[in-house]
Amino acid sequence: MAIGGGLDRRAILGGMLAGLASPARLSAAPILTLKSGPRLFTGTPLDKNRLALTFEKVDLPLPPIKVSNGAAKLSLDSLRGKTRIVTLWAEWCAPCLVEARDFAALRRRFAGPNFDIVAVPTCIAEKLGFAGATARLTQARVAGLPLLVEPNGGKRLMLTLSPSPMGDGGTLPCTLLVDSRGRIRGRSRGALTAALPPGAAAKQPGSYILTDADKRAMLAGDRGTLWQSPDGDALVTALCDGILDRL
C-alpha cells in the first residue's frame, strides 16, 4: 500500500505476494517488489533464499523519531546492541497483521541476547495508542510481539523508512533488518504471504483488490507468510548469528 498525503491504490507483490488492505473505501492492487537494485544477501549462503531475495541493500541510521513503549517515550535510534527485525505496520493492513503472527512465532523461538523482533505501527488510521495497538494485535491472534508506537497516528516513520517505490508517499508493510549498531541494512516492502483469499490467484496479476470480506478471511485463516517456512528459519538463524555485522 503506497500512501502519500492520502492513500493511493498501490501494494507490493513479491513472488506469491498478496495485496494490502487499507482504510474505508481505499484498497490496493499488487506490483512487483523485486527491483534491479542491489540485493542485501548477494554472494552469501542466503543468495537463493526466497525471503532474503526480497531485501534491498540499504545503509541508513534509525531516525531519532519518538515512539512509545507503553510506559515511556524513547527515540527509535536507541535500538542498538543486537540485531533486530523491525516491522512497520498499520491496523488497517490485513497482510501486515498476518505477517505479525509469524514474527511473533519466530520471536518465541529465536529472541535472545543477540536478536529480537519489534513491531512499530505507523500511519495509524484510527490513531491508536499503545493500548489500542496491543488490542488490535490480540484481536489478530498476535501474542508476545514487542510494540513501539508512533504517537497520534503519525506517519513520519513510514515516510522516512519506507518511501513508496513510485516516489510518492510510503509503503506498508515494510520489514527492516537492523544491525547491532542501529543501522538499517536491508529493507523489504510487502508481505510475502500465502494468505490470499480463495480465488485470488485466478484473477489477473496487478488487478486484484482486497475487499473487507477478503481482509476478514485472511485474518480468520491460519495461512501465513514465507516467514513461516524453512526460508524464514534460515534467514532468522543467519540474523541471530550476526550476518548483518559481517556484510
Side-chain angles (χ1 to χ4, degrees), residues 23-176:
R25 61 184 176 82
L26 299 171
S27 54
I31 59 175
L32 287 175
T33 189
L34 293 178
K35 295 183 173 299
S36 58
R39 300 290 100 195
L40 175 61
F41 295 107
T42 299
T44 76
L46 293 170
D47 62 3
K48 297 189 185 305
N49 181 298
R50 291 174 296 169
L51 269 176
L53 283 171
T54 70
F55 281 91
E56 60 179 327
K57 184 178 182 180
V58 297
D59 188 7
L60 302 168
L62 284 170
I65 293 176
K66 297 296 183 183
V67 290
S68 171
N69 65 4
K73 289 186 178 179
L74 64 149
S75 183
L76 194 68
D77 62 356
S78 66
L79 295 182
R80 298 190 183 97
K82 61 175 68 176
T83 297
R84 286 181 173 86
I85 293 174
V86 177
T87 174
L88 303 182
W89 64 281
E91 87 287 1
W92 43 261
C93 172
C96 295
L97 295 169
V98 171
E99 188 176 58
R101 291 177 193 158
D102 292 347
F103 284 136
L106 286 168
R107 184 176 187 271
R108 289 191 290 272
R109 294 171 55 207
F110 289 99
N114 300 317
F115 175 76
D116 206 354
I117 303 176
V118 61
V120 185
T122 179
C123 194
I124 308 170
E126 297 177 15
K127 294 182 171 53
L128 301 171
F130 185 87
T134 300
R136 185 54 55 90
L137 288 183
T138 300
Q139 291 170 7
R141 295 180 285 136
V142 180
L145 195 58
L147 278 176
L148 295 173
V149 180
E150 184 171 358
N152 303 316
K155 58 183 178 181
R156 287 182 64 200
L157 283 171
M158 181 192 68
L159 295 177
T160 301
L161 299 178
S162 185
S164 167
M166 308 302 294
D168 179 23
T171 302
L172 293 178
C174 175
T175 302
L176 307 171

